[in-house]
Amino acid sequence: MEYQVEVEVSLKPGYSDPEGETTRKALIELKYPVNAVNVSKVYNIRLEAASPEDAGRKVDEICRRLLANPVKDNYKFKLEELK
Amino acid sequence: MEYQVEVEVSLKPGYSDPEGETTRKALIELKYPVNAVNVSKVYNIRLEAASPEDAGRKVDEICRRLLANPVKDNYKFKLEELK
């Protein structure tokens, strides 16, 4: 079975986000009333797995091994079975 | 009124995504049965606006002026009023 997975990796609170901060300053310069900007990354993954549980287990492993740094990143994901 | 906006900027179909492709190869090396990986970016923005319509209009303008490249990027956003 094939699954479509959306993984969002974002910085843990307290870690500085220079890209978000630069974006916020650029928006303020353009006169937009912006209070905060945080940037995160989304991985859209198409993955083969035997069941939703198997897919969830694999994705969790993938996040811990490759996509997220456990020191500074949080991650969350949602998955959907493809017909 | 303050709004929390989540903007997702992704590459239009047909544009090469080297980061996604490298991630896919790394996952294949780790023996995960991955068929495709695409990477996109999410901006979480806290913004002042008079109404949901005003917030939507501002965010659309922000995307076109700063966050998305109209040649190669698609964008979508959702917004939520903060209490």
Side-chain angles (χ1 to χ4, degrees):
Chain A
M1 220 83 94
E2 193 175 24
Y3 293 83
Q4 175 72 47
V5 191
E6 192 184 301
V7 179
E8 182 172 348
V9 179
S10 54
L11 284 169
K12 288 183 180 177
Y15 278 83
S16 88
D17 179 351
E19 188 176 356
E21 188 50 24
T22 305
T23 306
R24 188 187 68 81
K25 284 181 187 157
L27 290 172
I28 296 286
E29 296 252 326
L30 292 169
K31 311 287 180 207
Y32 293 105
V34 165
N35 297 328
V37 180
N38 288 290
V39 181
S40 53
K41 192 166 271 191
V42 172
Y43 296 87
N44 291 293
I45 302 175
R46 284 216 323 274
L47 174 90
E48 303 284 342
S51 65
E53 294 70 30
D54 182 41
R57 195 184 46 73
K58 278 182 176 144
V59 174
D60 201 62
E61 226 177 78
I62 285 173
C63 291
R64 282 185 286 107
R65 291 181 70 182
L66 193 78
L67 304 182
N69 176 340
V71 174
K72 66 173 187 58
D73 293 330
N74 282 329
Y75 65 88
K76 60 183 179 187
F77 61 87
K78 47 190 182 205
L79 49 89
E80 192 187 332
E81 196 175 310
L82 294 173
K83 301 298 163 205
Chain B
M1 219 82 91
E2 194 176 25
Y3 293 83
Q4 175 73 47
V5 191
E6 191 184 300
V7 179
E8 182 172 348
V9 179
S10 53
L11 284 169
K12 286 184 181 176
Y15 278 84
S16 88
D17 178 352
E19 187 177 356
E21 188 49 23
T22 306
T23 306
R24 188 186 67 80
K25 284 182 186 156
L27 290 172
I28 296 285
E29 297 252 326
L30 293 169
K31 310 289 180 206
Y32 292 105
V34 165
N35 297 328
V37 180
N38 290 290
V39 181
S40 54
K41 194 166 268 190
V42 172
Y43 296 87
N44 290 294
I45 301 174
R46 284 216 325 272
L47 175 90
E48 304 284 341
S51 66
E53 294 70 31
D54 181 41
R57 195 183 48 71
K58 278 182 176 146
V59 173
D60 200 62
E61 225 178 79
I62 286 173
C63 290
R64 284 184 286 106
R65 292 181 71 181
L66 192 77
L67 304 183
N69 176 339
V71 174
K72 65 173 188 59
D73 293 328
N74 282 330
Y75 64 87
K76 60 183 180 187
F77 60 85
K78 47 191 182 205
L79 50 88
E80 192 187 332
E81 196 175 311
L82 294 172
K83 301 296 163 205

